[in-house]
Amino acid sequence: MNQVLAAKESFERANPGIRIVTEQCTDYYEMMLAIKSESPPDIVETCGFQAGDPDNMFIDLNPYIAEIEGLKEDIHPGLLRVAGHRGIVPSLPIEISPPLIVYNKELFDRAGLRYPTEAWSWDDMLELGRKLTIRDDQGIASQFGFGLGVDIEWFEPFIMRNGGRYVAEDGSTSRGHIDSPETIEAFRKIIDAFRIHRIIRNPGEPIAGNNGHDESAMTYCFMWDTEHRKMDERYEAVGLPAMPGNVEANMIYMGGAGITSKSENQKLAWEFLRHYLLDCHSWTPPISRSQSEARGLTKHRIFSRYLQELDHVQLSGYYLNKKWNASRQLINDDIHKMILEGADVAQTLRAWTRFT
C-alpha cells in the first residue's frame, strides 16, 4: 500500500486537477463486489496475477503498451510473456520473484566445499546437502544442508525442470500432468530429500540451537526472503539445480495492477498506472530493464541473478486453474503424509487429479 500511496502523492502533485481515491478490499469477494457496483474502480491491484483475465475484469493493456515507443522491448521479455497469457495483458506485474538458491559462503568454507555453480545438478545438490547437514549423536540437526518449505507451489519449479507440469497449459485439467512420469519422478526426488537423505528439515523436526536465517547452508528463496542477505557479502545466489529432464524453467510469484473494463477513465487510469509502475521506483525489482539498470540492480550480485531468471519463468498451476489453487491446503496435508508417514508418491499424485 505504501508504494501506491507514494505514487498517488507524486501524481497528484504533478496533476493538480486530479484526485485519486484508494480503497483496500479485505478479500477477492469484496473486490468483485466493488467491480460490479454502480461506482466501479478504475484500477484494481491484486496480490495474485489474473493470467488471461478469467473473470473479464480488465481491459487489455497491449494497445497502451504499443503506443509508447520502446516500452514493449523495455519490459523484461520473460515477464511480458507470462503476463500476456492467451494474448491478453490484463495487468502490469508487481511484486515479482522467481525462486533461486541463496547459500552462505562461510558455511561452505567451514566445510571445505566448493560453492555451487550454474551447472550443478540435483545429485550435486544432494551431495552438498549431505555434507552440510550437521547432526549430533542423537540425530538432532544443528544445521541442514538445504532449506525448502513444504508447499506444493514451492515444489513446482523442480517439476517444471524435469519436464513435468501440475496442470495443462490452458489450465483445463491436471490429468496427464500431475500424474505424468516426469512429475512423479521429480516429486519423488523431493520427498526423498526430506525422508531418506534428511538434508531438509522435516515438518515439526527439532533443531539444536537457534540459527535464524542460517538454519540451512543453502536455502530456496524468493526475492523478499533475501532482505537481510542482500547487503551481506557472505551470501550469493545461484539458479536451481538441473533435474534429469534438463528443462530450463522456473515458476514466478507476481501480483498485478490493471484497468477495469468498467472504468470510465481508462486513458487517465493508464497514465497513473504508467507513473506508478514505470516512472516511480515502486517495487523491487521493477518490471522494466531500463529502471533495473538505472537503480543498479543489474550489477547487484543477488538482484542481478533474480533478474536473469525472469527469462525462464512459466505460469504455475496457481495461476492457471482456480480449483487447483483452492486445493492447496489439502494437497499440502498429503505432502506431509508422504514425508512423515511414507505415503506412496505416485498413488497420491494420481489421486490429486480429482481436484480439477
Side-chain angles (χ1 to χ4, degrees):
M1 196 65 175
N2 291 336
Q3 291 89 341
V4 74
L5 291 176
K8 169 185 179 308
E9 180 181 348
S10 57
F11 189 81
E12 288 178 340
R13 190 164 56 245
N15 300 274
I18 303 298
R19 179 172 175 265
I20 298 170
V21 178
T22 60
E23 296 182 8
Q24 196 164 11
C25 296
T26 56
D27 54 26
Y28 191 83
Y29 175 75
E30 188 174 296
M31 180 187 72
M32 291 304 296
L33 287 179
I35 290 174
K36 294 176 180 179
S37 70
E38 294 183 357
S39 301
D42 294 298
I43 296 174
V44 165
E45 180 175 305
T46 58
C47 60
F49 192 88
Q50 301 297 301
D53 192 21
D55 296 319
N56 298 311
M57 288 193 299
F58 299 105
I59 66 169
D60 182 9
L61 296 180
N62 272 309
Y64 287 99
I65 293 171
E67 280 182 358
I68 302 175
E69 184 178 356
L71 178 56
K72 183 177 180 180
E73 294 73 22
D74 191 32
I75 296 174
H76 293 289
L79 193 58
L80 190 59
R81 171 173 46 78
V82 293
H85 178 63
R86 295 178 181 167
I88 300 168
V89 178
S91 304
L92 293 181
I94 61 170
E95 292 188 277
I96 57 176
S97 181
L100 293 174
I101 306 303
V102 174
Y103 61 93
N104 186 325
K105 294 186 293 184
E106 189 175 89
L107 299 183
F108 274 78
D109 293 342
R110 196 178 298 165
L113 297 172
R114 292 182 178 180
Y115 306 144
T117 72
E118 297 295 338
W120 69 330
S121 67
W122 180 265
D123 287 342
D124 294 332
M125 185 277 291
L126 287 179
E127 183 63 22
L128 287 171
R130 282 191 287 264
K131 292 177 178 178
L132 288 161
T133 299
I134 302 173
R135 295 181 183 273
D136 62 20
D137 293 340
Q138 286 73 46
I140 304 298
S142 57
Q143 176 179 295
F144 288 91
F146 193 69
L148 174 65
V150 180
D151 193 313
I152 185 64
E153 293 179 7
W154 290 20
F155 291 7
E156 191 166 11
F158 303 111
I159 309 304
M160 292 176 172
R161 295 172 74 80
N162 203 46
R165 300 182 61 86
Y166 287 165
V167 301
E169 288 188 34
D170 62 2
S172 58
T173 182
S174 63
R175 293 183 184 276
H177 301 282
I178 187 62
D179 54 344
S180 72
E182 295 83 2
T183 300
I184 292 171
E185 178 188 34
F187 219 97
R188 188 173 281 126
K189 286 182 178 295
I190 298 169
I191 297 302
D192 286 351
F194 282 92
R195 184 173 176 81
I196 296 176
H197 304 293
R198 301 180 68 204
I199 65 169
I200 310 174
R201 187 179 185 183
N202 282 356
E205 182 177 357
I207 184 170
N210 181 14
N211 297 324
H213 292 288
D214 290 330
E215 170 183 298
S216 305
M218 302 177 286
T219 307
Y220 177 102
C221 281
F222 293 93
M223 188 169 290
W224 46 80
D225 296 322
T226 65
E227 185 62 31
H228 81 289
R229 298 177 172 103
K230 66 188 180 190
M231 301 306 293
D232 192 324
E233 295 295 332
R234 290 179 300 167
Y235 299 99
E236 294 289 347
V238 67
L240 303 182
M243 301 297 286
N246 203 31
V247 176
E248 190 70 68
N250 206 336
M251 68 165 287
I252 184 170
Y253 275 140
M254 60 183 181
I259 301 168
T260 64
S261 55
K262 289 191 173 184
S263 171
E264 297 179 356
N265 307 285
Q266 293 181 2
K267 188 170 180 58
L268 182 59
W270 167 250
E271 291 301 320
F272 175 71
L273 200 61
R274 176 184 173 183
H275 175 74
Y276 170 34
L277 296 178
L278 296 170
D279 298 338
C280 296
H281 292 184
S282 297
W283 294 97
T284 302
I287 64 173
S288 69
R289 293 191 285 188
S290 60
Q291 191 180 130
S292 298
E293 186 173 347
R295 292 168 63 178
L297 302 180
T298 56
K299 295 181 179 179
H300 188 279
R301 71 186 196 290
I302 290 180
F303 286 141
S304 62
R305 185 59 189 82
Y306 277 95
L307 291 172
Q308 292 171 25
E309 195 66 13
L310 294 178
D311 290 339
H312 308 299
V313 295
Q314 298 180 10
L315 287 176
S316 65
Y318 168 84
Y319 297 108
L320 295 173
N321 188 294
K322 288 187 176 182
K323 289 182 180 179
W324 177 262
N325 183 36
S327 306
R328 180 180 183 182
Q329 188 55 57
L330 292 173
I331 291 172
N332 285 346
D333 289 344
D334 281 347
I335 295 175
H336 279 73
K337 292 176 183 176
M338 293 184 212
I339 295 171
L340 300 176
E341 302 172 18
D344 185 81
V345 173
Q347 184 177 341
T348 303
L349 267 60
R350 291 186 187 108
W352 289 348
T353 59
R354 72 187 187 276
F355 294 129
T356 60

